[in-house]
Amino acid sequence: MRREQPMSLLDWIKSWFLGAAASPSTSAAEPTEPSQDASATETPPRKRRRVRLAPFRYTRHGAGGQPLPSPTVPEKPYQFARPSVMGGFLDLSGDGDNTRLESLGVPAFQTPQELADWLKIPLGQLAWLVNRFDEHQRPEDVKKSHYHYQWKAKRAGGERLLEIPKPKLRAVQSRILREILDKVPPHSSVHGFVKSRSIRTNAVPHVGRRVVVKFDLENFYPSVSFSRVVAIYRSLGYSREAASWLGRLTTSTLPRSIYDMPDKGKWGPYLVRHLPQGVSTSPALANLSAFALDLRLSGLARKFEARYTRYADDLTFSGSERFLKSLAVFLPLVQQIIRHEKFRVNLDKRRILRSNQRQSVAGVVVNEKPNVRRRDFDALKATLVNCIRNGPASQNRSAHPDFLNHLLGRIAHVKHLHPAHGLKLSQLFEQIDWNR
C-alpha cells in the first residue's frame, strides 16, 4: 500500500488563497495516474435558470379536440362582424363550448344576435349599450355615457369613483348577474358578496389567533381590466365574440371629454376600460378575476399552517406563535404573489395585529369571539337613548332620507355579530317616538 504524501507548505498556501483543497505534491518518480473513469463521473455544472410561469393560452381546438375553423371568412358571418386585415371578415363565434355552458347551467349564445335575443332587446340597442357606434367605442361626453359618475370619500382618505349605470344598462347587467355569474362559484376562501357568507363568516376563522395579518388591494375594481373580464367569460365556454360583448356590457370606459379636463390626474386608474364600482356584476367578476390569487394565497397559508380569507379587497391571514415567527419569510411571498397576479398592495394599510392588541377583520373584533368595536356599540346606544329623550330628528345629523331604516340596519349588524348586544339595542329602538 502506497503511503499518502503529506501536504507541503506550497499546497497549503494554494488551498488557502484558491479556496479549494489542493492535492498534495507528488514526486517526479511517482506521477499521479489519471483515473480512467474521471471523464465519466465529472459533469459540467448546470446553469440554474429562473423558473417562469408560462402564460395560459387558448389552443386552436374547440370542444372535443376538433380543430377550429379559420376565423377569416369571405362573407360577413353575422351582423357587426369585424373586417379582417387579410380580407374578408372575422368569424369569432366558432370557438365557444356549448357543452361546458350547459354543464354550468348558463345560457348558450355565441353571436351578438343570439345575445340580443337572450336579453330580449333589439340588436341595435345592444350595440348602442356597448358604444359600438361611437368612435373607439367610447362615449363622447358624460351626457352620452351609460353611467352616472360620482366621487365618494374613503374612510382612510382619498376618493373612489362610483359609476352608476343608467336604467337600460342596469337591467341588462342584472340579468347577466342572475343567470350567468351567480351560477359560477368563487374560491372557498372568499366571503364578500357571496350568498350565505358575510363579514361574520369572514371573521370566524381568525378568532382567538396569536397573530392576524391584513393586506389591502389598491384600486381593486379598476385594476380588473377588460381583457381579464373577457377571459372569465371565455373560461365559461363563450366564444370570443360573445365574451367580448359581455365584457363591454359589464365594464366601463370614461368619456373622451374626461381627457380634456384640467384635473384628470385623479381619473388615472379609470381611463382604460375597467371594472366599475357601483355595478351589480362587478363584485362577482372581481371575485372570479382573483380566483388564481385566492388559490395561491390559500395554498401558501396552508404551507405556513395559517388561515386565509378575503372579503372584497381585504386579505386576512392568521396563525399561531410559529406563524408569527415566520412572517419575515411569509410577507414577501404574499406580496410577490399579489404582484404576479396583476394586483397592487396598499402598503399603508398592511397590519400585523398580535393577540395583546385589538384584532379586527373587516370591522369585526376577533380577539375572543366575533364582536363589534366597543366604541361603535356605545355610539349607537347613545344615539338611540338621545332619540328617546329628544326625538329622532335631533340625532339625524347626516340627514338620512330614511333614518328609521338606517338605525334598523345598524342594529341588525350588531345583532348579527353579537345577538345579546343587538337585543339590548332593539329594546331601546322600540321606545322611540317617531311622531316627535
Side-chain angles (χ1 to χ4, degrees):
M1 179 183 294
R2 188 178 63 187
R3 293 184 58 186
E4 183 177 351
Q5 295 292 331
M7 180 179 290
S8 66
L9 178 61
L10 180 61
D11 291 330
W12 182 83
I13 294 174
K14 287 181 179 179
S15 67
W16 178 266
F17 285 99
L18 298 179
S23 60
S25 300
T26 56
S27 62
E30 295 183 9
T32 303
E33 296 181 3
S35 175
Q36 294 180 354
D37 59 346
S39 59
T41 58
E42 289 184 2
T43 57
R46 298 178 61 184
K47 185 178 180 180
R48 296 184 62 183
R49 294 188 303 172
R50 184 178 179 181
V51 178
R52 295 184 181 275
L53 296 177
F56 175 79
R57 302 194 186 281
Y58 291 103
T59 62
R60 298 292 299 169
H61 295 79
Q66 298 298 321
L68 293 175
S70 172
T72 303
V73 294
E75 297 182 358
K76 199 170 189 177
Y78 46 80
Q79 199 166 352
F80 293 110
R82 295 185 181 275
S84 172
V85 294
M86 304 298 293
F89 295 88
L90 292 175
D91 185 358
L92 304 180
S93 64
D95 54 358
D97 188 348
N98 288 336
T99 302
R100 177 164 176 77
L101 292 172
E102 292 174 4
S103 67
L104 293 172
V106 298
F109 47 80
Q110 306 296 351
T111 66
Q113 184 63 62
E114 292 174 355
L115 173 57
D117 293 341
W118 174 70
L119 292 171
K120 298 180 180 179
I121 61 175
L123 179 58
Q125 183 177 351
L126 175 62
W128 171 70
L129 288 174
V130 299
N131 302 109
R132 189 60 182 265
F133 305 120
D134 298 320
E135 185 180 359
H136 304 301
Q137 293 194 235
R138 182 187 297 272
E140 183 179 350
D141 51 37
V142 174
K143 186 177 180 180
K144 294 183 178 180
S145 175
H146 297 296
Y147 292 90
H148 298 290
Y149 303 101
Q150 178 183 345
W151 287 101
K152 184 177 180 180
K154 298 180 181 179
R155 290 184 179 180
E159 292 179 304
R160 64 165 54 94
L161 179 64
L162 295 183
E163 300 173 75
I164 305 167
K166 295 178 181 178
K168 290 184 179 180
L169 180 59
R170 182 167 64 246
V172 168
Q173 292 168 340
S174 296
R175 187 167 187 190
I176 293 174
L177 174 65
R178 291 193 313 269
E179 301 191 29
I180 298 179
L181 298 178
D182 278 348
K183 298 184 180 181
V184 185
H187 193 270
S188 59
S189 61
V190 178
H191 295 262
F193 310 102
V194 179
K195 189 176 181 180
S196 74
R197 301 182 196 174
S198 63
I199 57 172
R200 191 179 195 280
T201 62
N202 180 66
V204 165
H206 309 292
V207 171
R209 308 288 280 176
R210 175 66 179 91
V211 62
V212 172
V213 180
K214 301 195 298 183
F215 285 87
D216 180 84
L217 300 180
E218 186 176 7
N219 292 325
F220 182 39
Y221 283 10
S223 63
V224 180
S225 64
F226 169 70
S227 59
R228 202 163 188 161
V229 173
V230 171
I232 292 173
Y233 292 118
R234 291 282 287 130
S235 68
L236 303 183
Y238 288 107
S239 65
R240 282 176 288 176
E241 190 70 50
S244 177
W245 284 70
L246 286 170
R248 292 187 181 278
L249 286 171
T250 50
T251 57
S252 171
T253 180
L254 295 180
R256 286 186 288 125
S257 59
I258 298 295
Y259 288 82
D260 300 327
M261 297 178 64
D263 60 340
K264 70 175 182 180
K266 67 178 182 179
W267 299 84
Y270 310 94
L271 292 179
V272 297
R273 185 171 282 275
H274 59 278
L275 204 59
Q277 188 164 0
V279 175
S280 60
T281 54
S282 290
L285 287 169
N287 283 338
L288 294 176
S289 72
F291 190 93
L293 174 70
D294 297 324
L295 189 68
R296 296 179 67 182
L297 290 181
S298 60
L300 178 67
R302 284 194 299 271
K303 288 292 184 180
F304 282 79
E305 300 179 359
R307 297 173 183 174
Y308 165 71
T309 62
R310 181 175 63 82
Y311 193 95
D313 56 357
D314 293 328
L315 316 179
T316 307
F317 302 88
S318 64
S320 61
E321 182 70 26
R322 182 178 181 182
F323 176 60
L324 175 60
K325 294 179 180 179
S326 66
L327 289 184
V329 177
F330 181 78
L331 297 180
L333 291 175
V334 172
Q335 294 177 194
Q336 181 180 2
I337 290 175
I338 293 174
R339 287 195 304 269
H340 284 178
E341 294 301 325
K342 308 302 181 184
F343 292 104
R344 293 189 298 273
V345 179
N346 188 342
L347 293 178
D348 294 336
K349 292 187 177 181
R350 194 184 75 178
R351 298 289 184 271
I352 300 175
L353 306 173
R354 295 166 176 82
S355 54
N356 60 335
Q357 302 171 279
R358 187 185 68 192
Q359 298 172 323
S360 64
V361 176
V364 180
V365 179
V366 295
N367 288 75
E368 298 178 357
K369 57 184 177 181
N371 204 350
V372 294
R373 292 181 294 185
R374 186 69 194 184
R375 67 180 183 184
D376 293 340
F377 172 78
D378 291 341
L380 180 54
K381 181 180 178 182
T383 298
L384 296 174
V385 170
N386 289 330
C387 285
I388 297 172
R389 294 175 178 174
N390 307 317
S394 65
Q395 301 303 304
N396 190 9
R397 298 185 179 91
S398 300
H400 287 281
D402 193 351
F403 190 52
L404 184 149
N405 284 319
H406 169 72
L407 290 179
L408 284 176
R410 294 176 63 184
I411 294 171
H413 172 71
V414 176
K415 189 180 294 186
H416 179 63
L417 297 176
H418 198 297
H421 284 174
L423 180 60
K424 293 179 181 179
L425 296 177
S426 295
Q427 292 172 348
L428 290 174
F429 179 83
E430 292 173 357
Q431 302 177 39
I432 300 175
D433 182 4
W434 291 94
N435 295 321
R436 294 180 61 180

